[in-house]
Amino acid sequence: MSKQVQGYFYLALAMLTVGSTVIASKLIAAGLPPFTATALRFALALPVFFLLMRASGVRLPKLSRHDRLILFVQAGAGSVGYTTLLISGLSLTSAADAGVIIGTLPVVSAAISILLLRERPRRALLFAVGLASAGVFSIAFTPEAAGGSLAGNALIFLAVVCEGLFILLNKRLTIDIPPLVQSTLVTGIGFVVSVVPAVFEAPLAHGFSTSAIAAVVYYALVPTVGGFLLWYAGAERVSGTEASLFTALAPVSAVILAFTILGEPVGFNQIAGIACVLAAVFGLAFAGSRTEPKFIEGR
């Protein structure tokens, strides 16, 4: 097996784990409050990241006050914000709908760069934004999305915006932090940020289900740690543009897993939504987009 094919294999597996976070979050939403689940996820993943740092000999760099602030905001938005909004949204909407919406991340990230960094939009990007928007609207504003489902879809989209802000803020770091170190720091800060509201959330909990606890353990060890290792193992073997194409597999895997594991129906609206989102992502990549996914587990 060539180095490039190995990279494709690792990237595909990484995106499969990303898609599975939607299913895990759906199970968590039925049995655990969002901040409690988020704090538990980070508490389980953090020791593993420390062990990986020790095994690889990577050390914490000296950070300026500016970089420490950026990492804190990244952890609050991309890690805690993304996870809690995803879990909260999935308590109201379907995993299939959520899978389509999370696929808009590359396009949302590029749009945020235009709005906040004043980057000049290219025609291909504007077309991609239009396609991705059509994909979201196809599942968000359907008869089945009335009431709670529409609110849930809105929360999922806010989670995507949080992850887009995470990527944008990464450009503001003044030093190049190794991915493993950054993942460890963001996970640690995320735990600190989420554990306080988790304490206040405790009286609202009405017992913890076994399936929810198992889903948190899975989320912490497989997508968070395993997904990190798979993504960077694949990304170092292929080009950035090739790697970015594989992000399109995340919504596809989420919808397929929602159908096979949760038994959710997949209708024309979800299929049309995925088609629009995939067309947007592939269009960006083939147009030479420089926006590469930053797979540092906020997801």
Side-chain angles (χ1 to χ4, degrees), residues 67-84:
D67 287 336
R68 289 197 297 267
L69 178 61
I70 292 294
L71 287 172
F72 183 84
V73 177
Q74 276 188 312
S79 292
V80 179
Y82 178 89
T83 308
T84 54

Side-chain angles (χ1 to χ4, degrees), residues 108-127:
V108 169
S109 299
I112 291 174
S113 293
I114 292 173
L115 294 174
L116 298 185
L117 295 185
R118 305 298 182 185
E119 293 181 358
R120 185 176 180 179
R122 291 171 289 111
R123 209 174 298 175
L125 175 58
L126 294 176
F127 183 65

Side-chain angles (χ1 to χ4, degrees), residues 66 106 125 138 144 146 153 181 204 216 222-223 236-237:
H66 170 83
L125 175 58
S138 74
E144 295 80 11
N153 289 336
V181 174
L204 303 176
V216 171
V222 180
E236 69 181 8
R237 290 170 168 81

Side-chain angles (χ1 to χ4, degrees), residues 53-68:
M53 282 186 60
R54 183 170 183 178
S56 60
V58 179
R59 296 184 178 277
L60 292 173
K62 186 176 181 180
L63 300 173
S64 66
R65 181 180 299 178
H66 170 83
D67 287 336
R68 289 197 297 267

Side-chain angles (χ1 to χ4, degrees), residues 125-136:
L125 175 58
L126 294 176
F127 183 65
V129 170
L131 273 175
S133 299
V136 172

Side-chain angles (χ1 to χ4, degrees), residues 186-198:
V186 168
T187 299
I189 298 169
F191 172 72
V192 173
V193 171
S194 60
V195 76
V196 176

Side-chain angles (χ1 to χ4, degrees), residues 201-258:
E201 198 177 50
L204 303 176
H206 302 288
F208 300 153
S209 70
T210 304
S211 60
I213 295 294
V216 171
V217 174
Y218 170 84
Y219 198 153
L221 300 181
V222 180
T224 303
V225 179
F228 165 84
L229 295 173
L230 286 168
W231 180 261
Y232 282 105
E236 69 181 8
R237 290 170 168 81
V238 301
S239 69
T241 300
E242 287 177 308
S244 68
L245 286 174
F246 278 84
T247 62
L249 293 179
V252 176
S253 66
V255 173
I256 292 174
L257 290 172

